[in-house]
Each structure stands twice: as structure tokens, then as C-alpha cells.
Amino acid sequence: HHPGVSRRCRAPRGGRGRRPAGPSTRRCPATPSRRGTGCTGGSAGPGAGAGGSAHACPRSPSLGRRRRREAAEEEVEETPQEKKLRLAKLYLEQLRQHGECRPAPAPVPRRGERGGQPAARSPAVMPPHTPFSLQVQPPDPASIRMLQGHQLPVTCLVISPDDRFIFSASKDGSLIKCKWEVESGKKLCVVPGGKKGTEERHMGHASHVLCMAISSDGKYLATGDRNKLIMIWDAATCKRLHIFTGHHDAISGLSFRKGTHQLYSASHDRCIKVWNVAENAYVETLFGHQDVVTGLDSLSRECCVTAGGRDGTVRLWKIPEESQLVFYGHQGSIDCIQLINEEHMVSGADDGSVALWGLTKKKPLALARQAHGMQDAQGLQQPYWISAVAALRNSDLLATGSHSASVKLWKCSEGFRKLEPLWDIPLVGFVNSLKFSAAGDFLVAGLGQEHRLGRWWRLKEAKNSICIIPLKRRAAAASPEVPDSS
């Protein structure tokens, strides 16, 4: 075990092919080896067979020409990764030659180079680094909708990929899946819980549900609880499909890799596990954190990021490379984390700080200390804990939550090197979970009278509920190049 390299425990896998140590070359067929008899550059001698001419290599008029000709005949083997990289570079060069790389004011169909067929285009999604904060109006508190149904604090929630449904869970063990309908606010499905040890006889959890995740195709929902169990559900029918066991402590973070059914799980047992949900299979375990893991997130790449609680680290786990990167910046326990895009992430800690990270820098690009202000706790001035963070994917808009009676919206400015506060949205209670809709039309907050991981304080005036905060666009959205004058 070397520093910076994660220790891993793998399930049995097939072997991986390896390329030869050096490049292979093509030799003349009659040459048995590079030594001994064979092609010497001379003319055919009298030893040629009677049935035909002997193998001979005519002498070149120039030694340089002969070497160039032999070099041209050599074949160097490529690994699949090297071939993909070479083809990608070639394709980019062709695009530059045809002017395809220049930005156009509107997406105009162009002809590709293969047989005159139209070039394939990706679906309409938000491009990376969209300055979305310039388009959003300050939220109106009167437009906030509150959905009530949980008896104990809401601990986690997710939004379906089509933005139609909200899945939520709480400390009461019941799981309300899908089926808060966003448009009407109706409760469409409730899965009751039970007592500890009765999970096989009941549909739901028998302990506090601390985290959940939904696959990018909306097919699977995963939930994790304090009883070390991960349950997999059919998101459409609310039917439980499978239970994963293997962690030795509470499940504190779940995330599906985007575009796949690969599931990452984090636990208070300090390790990360990888699962294949489609095959109900365990894949491997990653070790490295020195304290409970409190949060986890992932996107399209085969990697995930985690918050390590009181070990003071944020970690990026590179699954294929079998390595991890360690980031330092917070002074307290890091309780929440989320990726903004494939290159940046945001995290929050109980020292009141919000950190903006680049995945290539070990220190935060920006750090907002006392982001939600200070509180008087038993005669001592302490910062409000940051209990939840959210990012509108591939944009510059962030949200943070605490128990400071407000949710804050932030802007990532100056190329993700500065955090600027935008607006406060009044919400009473512990904000235990925050999620933006995929289209950026609304923000959802899970509120409770207690923090999702403990009972350090209790806010009796708070309501255990789900709040839907509409995010309206400006009448004339500002251009990304020209900031809004307001």
C-alpha cells in the first residue's frame, strides 16, 4: 500500500489483457530471426531453390532510403485506449479543417464526413459552465409550496430525471417514493416501515433512512439506512427489488453513475462500495477515509467524490486507476458534497464554511467562511453548520442550507474562483437535503426539526416537510457576455 493509492477489495473478475513490453515488427517471411541467416541486403545467391527464386532483398542505392522503407513496413501495436485517443485527435483535426469548431449563433445541421450522412447531435442539455445565475429572478417567498406527510425530520430526497416526481425519506423509517407529484403536490405512494429485524417481512426500512439516489434513466431508486442496509426499488411501481448487505455501519451516501446502473455507497464504516444494480452484484470496496463518510456524489466518469467527516478530507476516487486524490480545506467536519460538473465540486462543513473545488487543485478555489452567519449556542458564538449543498449541474448556480432560517443561493464567478452570495430564501428548520430540478425550474428542500445525522438541537417551530421553491427566469434573459445591470 503506497501513499495516495487506495486499498481495494474486489469481487472476482475476468482478467485484463496487457500489451507487449515493446513494439512488434513485421519481418521478412524467410527470416527466422534477427540473428543468423535471412535478409542481408545482398542479391540472391546461387543457393536459390530450383522451383523459383530464393528470398532476396535488393541492395538499396542509399542506406537512408533502405532504413526509411523498413521503418514504413513496421507495425506498432496499439491498445484500445491509444487507438481511441489517436482517432479522437484525427477527428478534431478534421473538424478544425472544416470550420466545425467555431461557435454558431444557432444549431444549424451540418453534413458529416462519413458518406454524406448528417452528423449525430446530442440531446438538448445545458452546456457546461452556463451562467445560469444571470437568468434567475430572486425567489418569491409567497410562491414556496410545502408538502407535509412525514412524522419525523426529512433526511433526504431526490427528483426524478423528468422533474415530475419527488422521492423523500425521513427518520420515521417510512419511505414516500415517487410520488410526491410536483405539479399537483399529491402523495402518490407510501411505503410503511417496521421494527428492526423485520425488513424481510415489511416493504420499507426499519430504521432512519439517511440517503437515497435515483438512476439517470429513472428506473431504479436506492435508499440506505442506519441498519447498514441498501434497498433497491422499482421507481415506477414502488416495488422493492433487492437488498444489498455488506457495510458494517450506517449508510450515509448513495449515488448512481450517470448513464449506468453502477451504484456507489458510502458508510460510517469509513469505506466506499461499488455495486451493479442491474445484476444485483457487489463489485469492490475502496478504503482510505479515517472517519465516517458523510456524503457522496458522482457524474458520468467512473469516479466519485466523498466527504470524510472529521478526518477533514474530501476525496476523489478514480476507480479504473485504483487511486484517490485527497483535498484539504475545511477546519471542521465535512458533512455534505456535490459535483457541479466534471471539473468542479462544492462542499459544506460544520465550521460554517462552503468550499468550491477544482478537481486538479488540492486546496479550495474559493472558501466562504461563516456562510450562514453565527449563532449563540449555550452562551458561545458558533457558526451555523452547513447541512446541505446543491448545484445546478453544469451551471454557476449553487444552494446551501443550514438551520439559520434560510436557504442561500450563490454564484460561482471569475471562472469558478469566487463565491458570491445572491439571495436568501426564508425557511425555518434544519435543511437536510437540497436538490435542483434538471431544467433549473425549481429547488426542493427537505426540512426537519433535527439534523439528519443526530439530535444536537431541536427546532420545535420547524415543520417536517418538503418545500418546492420555484425559480423564475427573467423576462429578458441576459446574454452570457453581458452581465445584467440589476
Side-chain angles (χ1 to χ4, degrees):
H1 174 58
H2 298 281
V5 179
S6 59
R7 295 166 48 217
R8 299 149 63 90
C9 176
R10 289 179 176 270
R13 281 184 171 180
R16 296 182 179 177
R18 295 185 178 272
R19 60 178 296 193
S24 64
T25 58
R26 179 192 296 170
R27 295 197 302 266
C28 296
T31 307
S33 68
R34 289 189 180 275
R35 301 178 182 177
T37 61
C39 178
T40 62
S43 58
S53 61
H55 177 75
C57 290
R59 184 179 301 277
S60 301
S62 169
L63 181 62
R65 293 181 184 176
R66 180 170 63 84
R67 288 179 176 175
R68 286 195 296 268
R69 184 168 62 252
E70 289 177 353
E73 293 177 354
E74 291 185 352
E75 289 185 1
V76 179
E77 289 189 359
E78 286 183 309
T79 64
Q81 292 80 5
E82 291 172 337
K83 183 176 180 181
K84 289 180 182 178
L85 180 60
R86 177 174 59 80
L87 293 177
K89 290 180 178 179
L90 178 63
Y91 180 62
L92 288 175
E93 182 61 31
Q94 291 174 347
L95 289 182
R96 294 190 192 98
Q97 294 175 1
H98 288 79
E100 292 273 357
C101 289
R102 292 176 297 189
V108 179
R110 303 180 67 96
R111 292 277 174 180
E113 286 124 24
R114 296 185 179 181
Q117 297 298 321
R121 292 192 173 272
S122 59
V125 296
M126 186 177 298
H129 315 310
T130 301
F132 194 84
S133 61
L134 298 175
Q135 306 173 20
V136 179
Q137 294 179 352
D140 180 10
S143 65
I144 299 175
R145 291 188 294 151
M146 187 173 291
L147 309 180
Q148 292 183 322
H150 289 289
Q151 301 301 317
L152 293 179
V154 177
T155 55
C156 53
L157 56 85
V158 293
I159 305 172
S160 63
D162 57 8
D163 291 345
R164 294 179 57 197
F165 307 109
I166 297 171
F167 302 72
S168 65
S170 75
K171 289 186 177 182
D172 57 18
S174 67
L175 173 66
I176 297 179
K177 296 178 3 167
C178 41
K179 301 286 186 137
W180 296 102
E181 190 175 39
V182 172
E183 184 175 354
S184 65
K186 291 182 179 179
K187 186 193 306 180
L188 302 182
C189 180
V190 177
V191 180
K195 294 182 179 180
K196 185 175 181 180
T198 64
E199 290 87 357
E200 294 295 336
R201 299 195 299 271
H202 292 80
M203 282 289 292
H205 290 271
S207 182
H208 298 176
V209 181
L210 299 181
C211 54
M212 61 170 42
I214 190 168
S215 58
S216 55
D217 61 0
K219 182 177 181 180
Y220 296 113
L221 181 73
T223 56
D225 66 15
R226 281 197 177 276
N227 284 352
K228 319 167 194 175
L229 300 180
I230 301 172
M231 294 190 182
I232 307 299
W233 309 80
D234 185 318
T237 63
C238 299
K239 180 182 177 181
R240 192 178 71 196
L241 303 176
H242 190 69
I243 298 179
F244 284 128
T245 59
H247 279 292
H248 301 292
D249 208 335
I251 312 298
S252 53
L254 291 168
S255 180
F256 279 95
R257 180 184 171 196
K258 188 176 179 182
T260 73
H261 293 147
Q262 187 177 60
L263 178 68
Y264 304 109
S265 64
S267 170
H268 287 183
D269 63 9
R270 307 182 182 185
C271 69
I272 315 299
K273 289 186 183 292
V274 185
W275 315 84
N276 186 326
V277 172
E279 299 180 4
N280 294 335
Y282 159 80
V283 179
E284 59 185 310
T285 301
L286 312 176
F287 301 92
H289 277 295
Q290 304 301 308
D291 193 33
V292 299
V293 185
T294 55
L296 178 147
D297 195 24
S298 66
L299 281 177
S300 299
R301 294 180 181 176
E302 195 172 356
C303 62
C304 63
V305 294
T306 54
R310 297 224 167 261
D311 75 0
T313 67
V314 167
R315 298 185 185 232
L316 168 65
W317 304 84
K318 297 182 177 182
I319 310 298
E321 291 86 348
E322 303 186 6
S323 65
Q324 56 182 290
L325 298 180
V326 183
F327 303 81
Y328 297 90
H330 293 285
Q331 300 300 316
S333 175
I334 308 172
D335 290 345
C336 46
I337 190 168
Q338 188 169 9
L339 284 162
I340 304 171
N341 51 46
E342 298 285 6
E343 304 296 335
H344 299 90
M345 58 184 171
V346 61
S347 61
D350 68 0
D351 62 0
S353 62
V354 176
L356 179 62
W357 308 83
L359 298 187
T360 59
K361 302 289 184 181
K362 294 299 183 70
K363 298 294 183 181
L365 301 177
L367 186 66
R369 302 183 186 277
Q370 301 175 14
H372 280 250
M374 301 291 288
Q375 63 174 326
D376 187 0
Q378 300 177 352
L380 298 176
Q381 288 292 313
Q382 297 181 12
Y384 282 103
W385 297 3
I386 306 302
S387 53
V389 294
L392 180 57
R393 302 288 195 190
N394 298 322
S395 81
D396 63 344
L397 189 62
L398 305 178
T400 60
S402 181
H403 61 286
S404 60
S406 68
V407 167
K408 288 182 176 287
L409 295 183
W410 302 78
K411 173 185 176 181
C412 302
S413 59
E414 299 181 9
F416 287 89
R417 294 190 175 275
K418 187 177 180 181
L419 276 173
E420 296 182 9
L422 293 176
W423 309 293
D424 288 7
I425 304 169
L427 288 179
V428 178
F430 280 87
V431 181
N432 290 323
S433 185
L434 284 170
K435 289 291 186 296
F436 282 99
S437 65
D441 296 329
F442 58 91
L443 171 68
V444 181
L447 296 180
Q449 295 180 339
E450 302 169 353
H451 192 283
R452 75 182 183 104
L453 296 178
R455 304 188 66 181
W456 297 281
W457 294 283
R458 182 176 177 83
L459 303 178
K460 296 182 179 180
E461 65 275 17
K463 295 182 179 179
N464 301 317
S465 59
I466 299 161
C467 294
I468 302 176
I469 306 164
L471 300 176
K472 295 183 179 180
R473 311 287 181 92
R474 298 182 187 276
S479 171
E481 293 77 18
V482 182
D484 187 8
S485 59
S486 61

